[in-house]
């Protein structure tokens, strides 16, 4: 079964966040780096994002199944309409035959409504969830990127320590030429450590800022989508009632 | 999946007809007898009953599939409710978490409603159709029974003709003793022919009378069931709207 393409993806406030994160995360190697997290904010957020990922995936698959099921319901309703129409054709009793034929027409309208609702649920709920699963994927990527930056910094720190030891040994053993060379390297690695720490601080700060924005947009998006989902449902239910209400006098007119 | 037992079967006006027909049809041999139908009413009714049988069977299977599908929809709705509840549990944002938890509660109510409607459709529509398919089976049985009675009568007529020929031959050949014996047999077969014709006229008349009653009850039953089906649908749709309406302010309160 072909599901319609969602049209409201670009309207998501979260999409901007995703684009930014995608740029940062482009070169991210997916191997999991371990680091001793010193920032409780990141520890908490990482866990939270993991949970959100798991639950959104479950909800997405549940909604997708519901959408497919509603599509099937539309097909079955069409079959019911056809059966009622055929029964109407072979029905000798005039007003019963007319009522059955009108029941068939109403069921055809109900079929269209089931399809509409399946499409609406898909383009509203499914697409939101799909987009947020992708966004969360990007967030997990930048978390990995931050770990990589951290390890780069730690590597520079280790190298600096080694160079300092070498320099101290050379100075003690009275090799001033080599000592000078070592001094240059120490200065180089000091700069790398400084740059590494800066990079790590920057990416940590940027992630915090972007995640705050993400949280605000996420609540806004979910609120809008839940309301739109409800309003669609209610519109469809009300239309269904109108169809049945219009048909009821026909059923009562069977005589 | 277990479907509920219907409770309104005995309330069908057609049930009385079925019991009568069942008594008549008890000894019916299912082999199709052919007869040259001299009564256009029976010719027409036989065709009509065949068509009705075919179409009611199709409608029954279509409604049964719809009922099973609605049961599945209830199960999927429960899964959706569970996913929403789990997402609510891991949601940090207070009012979004509360709205998701209430969405889960509403979806649980919707699940119950889908089950109710599936049960109602089953016990109202499916059972009516099943009963009428059985009734039509009984009608087809009495049609066969009538053909059997007809052939019994025709057999007696043929025997009577043979006995009359024998009697004439014996009288011509001057065997009065055997002629007397043949006369007795002719009288016997004349009585059997008379009884055969009476039986055939009686069963034909009874079928016409019962079928007229069946037609009246059929229209009455279908009218009642279509109206009940509609009213159930409308009640359920209205309940759905009430659920969504009650939830809408919660969704709008997400802040």
């Amino acid at each position: 079964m072909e599901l319609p393409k969602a049209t409201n993806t670009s309207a998501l406030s979260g999409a901007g966040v995703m684009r930014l994160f995608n740029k940062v995360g482009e070169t991210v190697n997916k191997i999991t780096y371990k680091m001793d997290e010193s920032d409780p904010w990141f520890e908490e957020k990482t866990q939270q994002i993991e949970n959100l990922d798991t639950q959104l995936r479950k909800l997405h698959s549940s909604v997708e199944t519901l959408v497919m099921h509603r599509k099937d319901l539309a097909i079955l309703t069409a079959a019911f309409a056809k059966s009622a129409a055929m029964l109407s054709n072979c029905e000798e009793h005039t007003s019963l035959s007319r009522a059955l034929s009108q029941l068939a027409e109403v069921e055809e309208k109900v079929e269209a409504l089931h399809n509409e609702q399946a499409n609406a649920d898909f383009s509203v709920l499914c697409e939101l969830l799909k987009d947020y699963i992708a966004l969360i994927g990007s967030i997990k990527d930048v978390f990995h990127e931050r770990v990589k930056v951290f390890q780069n910094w730690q590597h520079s720190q280790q190298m600096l320590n080694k160079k300092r030891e070498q320099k101290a040994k050379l100075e003690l053993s009275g090799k001033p030429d080599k000592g000078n060379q070592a001094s240059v390297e120490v200065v180089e690695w000091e700069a790398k450590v400084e740059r590494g720490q800066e990079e790590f601080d920057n990416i940590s700060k940027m992630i915090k800022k972007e995640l705050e924005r993400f949280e605000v947009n996420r609540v806004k998006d979910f609120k809008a989508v839940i309301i739109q989902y409800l309003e669609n449902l209610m519109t469809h239910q009300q239309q269904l009632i109108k169809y049945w209400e219009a048909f009821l006098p026909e059923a009562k007119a069977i005589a």
Side-chain angles (χ1 to χ4, degrees), chain A residues 167-183:
Chain A
K167 189 190 158 203
K169 274 186 198 157
L170 288 167
E171 280 169 356
L172 280 174
S173 62
K175 289 173 181 166
D177 283 4
K178 286 197 176 172
N180 280 345
Q181 171 62 18
S183 290

Side-chain angles (χ1 to χ4, degrees), chain A residues 208-220:
Chain A
K208 282 187 184 181
K209 206 181 116 201
E210 288 300 326
L211 264 184
E212 269 165 36
R213 205 156 75 86
F214 168 79
E215 287 299 305
V216 171
N217 288 335
R218 190 170 67 83
V219 172
K220 218 165 68 188

Side-chain angles (χ1 to χ4, degrees), chain A residues 117-213:
Chain A
Q117 196 182 330
N119 291 344
D121 284 1
F122 179 78
S123 65
V124 175
L125 264 188
C126 272
E127 289 298 292
L128 172 88
L129 294 170
K130 210 185 74 187
D131 286 344
Y132 267 89
I133 289 165
L135 275 175
I136 281 169
S138 301
I139 292 172
K140 286 162 86 175
D141 284 349
V142 279
F143 281 176
H144 282 305
E145 181 70 14
R146 175 173 166 271
V147 175
K148 231 173 127 189
V149 168
F150 175 81
Q151 285 176 330
N152 200 29
W153 169 33
Q154 293 306 300
H155 171 72
S156 301
Q157 186 65 58
Q158 280 157 14
M159 287 302 286
L160 175 61
N161 294 346
K162 228 154 74 182
K163 293 296 168 190
R164 278 180 177 155
E165 274 171 38
Q166 280 178 353
K167 189 190 158 203
K169 274 186 198 157
L170 288 167
E171 280 169 356
L172 280 174
S173 62
K175 289 173 181 166
D177 283 4
K178 286 197 176 172
N180 280 345
Q181 171 62 18
S183 290
V184 171
E185 283 183 2
V186 164
V187 170
E188 270 174 25
W189 283 105
E190 275 172 350
K192 280 186 185 169
V193 166
E194 203 178 322
R195 215 159 51 237
Q197 175 154 21
E198 257 173 43
E199 267 181 34
F200 181 71
D201 289 347
N202 283 343
I203 195 171
S204 298
K205 243 185 282 173
M206 187 213 72
I207 289 175
K208 282 187 184 181
K209 206 181 116 201
E210 288 300 326
L211 264 184
E212 269 165 36
R213 205 156 75 86

